[in-house]
Amino acid sequence: MVKETEDPKDTEIAYDSTADRARPAGAGARRVSVTGARMLREALRDGGDALPAALREADDGLLLSALDEGLPAERATRVVVELVRRAPERGPELAAAVCEKVLLAQLYLDPPHRVPGGSAADPGRRLRVRNALMLYEGLVRPYAGRGAIPELMACVLPGLWVAGDGAGREVVRRIVGTRQLTGFGEKGWKALFGGVAEECREYEAEAARATRRETRWRRRRGVADDAARLDLKPGQLWVSALLGFIAVALVLIVVIAAG
């Protein structure tokens, strides 16, 4: 559902989404302040003294929207730290909404959109992994067993495993490595390993097809080669050499006797 604000100069159209539900009740009828969004965007871009104040004044919806736009890892870290810092201040409903949004975004592991023709390397990968772990520890794990989060986790975990060009797999391993309850739940693990098993079956089937193709090619190649040459084994080579030596000796004997 889309709701339009009363004053187009100060506010913009807001969408009834999880990000909107992540805004505090004082934000009114889920309206996004254009001025606040612009101030936050500029502060994140400039990185000056105004940034701490802009982060504190922005509601959860603005902070999540900033991450949605795709920030360099260093700037995203400032937003992540602020989201985690205010976690104790959220009520259960708001905390669940933020958790849901973070999960649907796969912990914001994907790097910002690259310029066409630019380098494929991701210099912020290590920092993005750390940001994802902060989001999980501060915003997801404490609420993983509540409401609809377990069902959502079963949908998100397989995608997280393959997200971020290998970064998602690293995040999952490090979450498991903490030796705490991961929050992924039985459904999450079943969804992950079911997908991995299906992927492995596809790889196995493709490998079997490739092996059969290779075998057929070798057989055809072997028939063609047999028509042109005799493929001798090492033992057969010794026998052939001995027979050749005997044949030469017989010829020499005949020649000497005739002389």
Side-chain angles (χ1 to χ4, degrees), residues 203-254:
Y203 284 142
E204 291 288 348
E206 179 58 32
R209 288 192 292 269
T211 300
R212 289 194 294 269
R213 289 194 297 267
E214 180 71 14
T215 301
R216 288 195 296 268
W217 180 83
R218 287 182 178 276
R219 286 175 179 172
R220 289 195 295 267
R221 180 70 179 271
V223 171
D225 289 346
D226 288 343
R229 63 179 176 81
L230 181 64
D231 189 9
L232 298 177
K233 297 180 179 179
Q236 293 174 319
L237 290 174
W238 281 105
V239 173
S240 298
L242 180 60
L243 291 174
F245 177 78
I246 294 173
V248 171
L250 292 173
V251 171
L252 288 176
I253 291 173
V254 172

Side-chain angles (χ1 to χ4, degrees), residues 49 59 70 84 88 100 103 121 129 132 147 149 211 213 216 239 248-249 251:
D49 296 336
D59 61 35
V84 174
E100 179 181 333
L103 280 174
V129 168
I149 302 302
T211 300
R213 289 194 297 267
R216 288 195 296 268
V239 173
V248 171
V251 171

Side-chain angles (χ1 to χ4, degrees), residues 19-20 22-28 30-33 36-37 40 53-66 79 82-83 86 90 94 98:
D20 295 322
R23 298 188 182 95
R30 296 169 184 153
R31 296 168 180 169
V32 182
S33 170
L40 178 60
L55 289 170
R56 286 193 303 270
E57 294 171 5
D59 61 35
D60 291 330
L62 286 178
L63 295 177
L64 292 169
S65 295
V79 179
E82 177 61 24
L83 281 168
R86 61 176 72 171
R90 299 186 184 99
L94 181 57
V98 172

